[in-house]
Amino acid sequence: MKGVVLAGGMGTRLRPLTRVTNKHLLPVYDKPMVFYPIQTLVEAGITEIMLVTGGNNAGDFLRLIGNGEEFGLKHMNYAYQKTEGGIADALRLARHFVGDDKVAVILGDNFVQGSVRKAVQDFMNQPRGAKIFLKEVPNPQDFGVAVLEGEKVVRVIEKPPVPPSNLAVIGIYLYDASVFEICETLVPSERGELEITDVNNEYIRRGVMTYEVVDGWWADCGSFEALLRSNILVARERGVDI
């Protein structure tokens, strides 16, 4: 299985911090934010990784991460997203890197407590399709929300005003190689982006979507409040009394 870390975007909700750097290079306690999703993939046993970024600070990732020796990697692959076209648009850049393999996609500002290794192994035994990760949250209206019927995901609704559940779809996705064919069929949303929710709903329509509910905490660093919370969570994980 290949791994893809998506670390583009302008990080507008974190300005003025992001006027001079990419959001994913900001610190979360004692490491740059992007280190955590890379570590999540490596800990899950994934050693072939591509980082997709963009904007004016793309070179900073190369200077920071290099070939990935700090993570035990022999090589780190990079791709450049010229415009902000959404998560699915960024994923398309990894098509030749992934080839016919399965792929674990993780947003560069998302990480979870503990390991996703078992879920990745389970997906490797899944003949085809996709797996999404869900987390109970107090504010599901701010995320894509999963609708479950029994043990099946029947729909993902993007930021519903009246959420049908409190299960947010977090920024870790496992796909087979057909994800790239699906991405090519997408129509841009009202905000002009190719939405990952549309990708997930197509897998659901095909009847090949599974899910995993995350037990530990989940960090999403997209706002000042979330960034502060992430720093506190990681610091406490390190044994710091905050």
Side-chain angles (χ1 to χ4, degrees):
M1 178 182 281
K2 303 286 178 59
V4 175
V5 179
L6 302 181
M10 300 298 293
T12 54
R13 288 188 294 165
L14 289 174
R15 288 178 179 167
L17 301 182
T18 51
R19 286 180 186 167
V20 294
T21 191
N22 183 291
K23 170 178 69 173
H24 307 89
L25 299 174
L26 295 173
V28 174
Y29 187 53
D30 59 349
K31 297 177 182 177
M33 187 189 301
V34 72
F35 276 33
Y36 295 93
I38 295 174
Q39 288 173 330
T40 295
L41 294 180
V42 172
E43 198 284 329
I46 299 169
T47 58
E48 295 183 76
I49 298 173
M50 170 174 279
L51 187 142
V52 180
T53 187
N56 297 326
N57 304 103
D60 294 339
F61 286 92
L62 183 60
R63 284 189 288 273
L64 175 67
I65 300 169
N67 278 331
E69 295 93 340
E70 188 167 347
F71 304 95
L73 302 175
K74 293 181 179 179
H75 182 70
M76 174 68 78
N77 301 269
Y78 297 89
Y80 185 83
Q81 186 181 20
K82 293 181 181 179
T83 60
E84 285 192 274
I87 295 172
D89 180 63
L91 177 56
R92 291 194 302 176
L93 297 174
R95 183 168 195 161
H96 295 295
F97 167 69
V98 174
D100 295 327
D101 288 345
K102 291 182 176 179
V103 59
V105 182
I106 184 167
L107 305 188
D109 61 356
N110 274 232
F111 48 95
V112 294
Q113 183 184 33
S115 172
V116 298
R117 178 183 285 267
K118 183 181 183 302
V120 168
Q121 290 174 341
D122 289 344
F123 181 65
M124 290 299 294
N125 294 324
Q126 185 175 318
R128 62 192 183 96
K131 181 184 288 288
I132 53 177
F133 290 76
L134 309 179
K135 176 65 182 174
E136 292 185 358
V137 297
N139 55 330
Q141 67 276 5
D142 294 334
F143 304 98
V145 175
V147 181
L148 304 183
E149 290 184 1
E151 295 299 313
K152 294 182 63 177
V153 186
V154 296
R155 191 181 176 194
V156 176
I157 306 174
E158 187 65 24
K159 297 181 180 177
V162 183
S165 78
N166 66 343
L167 290 171
V169 180
I170 71 172
I172 308 174
Y173 318 94
L174 308 180
Y175 297 122
D176 65 13
S178 66
V179 66
F180 299 106
E181 168 256 314
I182 293 173
C183 286
E184 294 302 327
T185 69
L186 299 182
V187 175
S189 65
E190 291 183 359
R191 58 179 184 171
E193 297 186 353
L194 301 183
E195 304 289 350
I196 202 68
T197 294
D198 292 339
V199 172
N200 293 331
N201 278 323
E202 176 58 22
Y203 275 108
I204 292 170
R205 188 191 69 78
R206 297 181 182 189
V208 289
M209 173 66 79
T210 61
Y211 69 91
E212 185 86 10
V213 178
V214 174
D215 291 327
W217 50 255
W218 160 52
D220 170 16
C221 308
S223 66
F224 286 112
E225 295 78 12
L227 181 61
L228 173 61
R229 177 177 176 270
S230 300
N231 274 272
I232 293 172
L233 287 171
V234 173
R236 287 176 175 169
E237 189 90 347
R238 300 277 200 278
V240 178
D241 186 15
I242 295 180

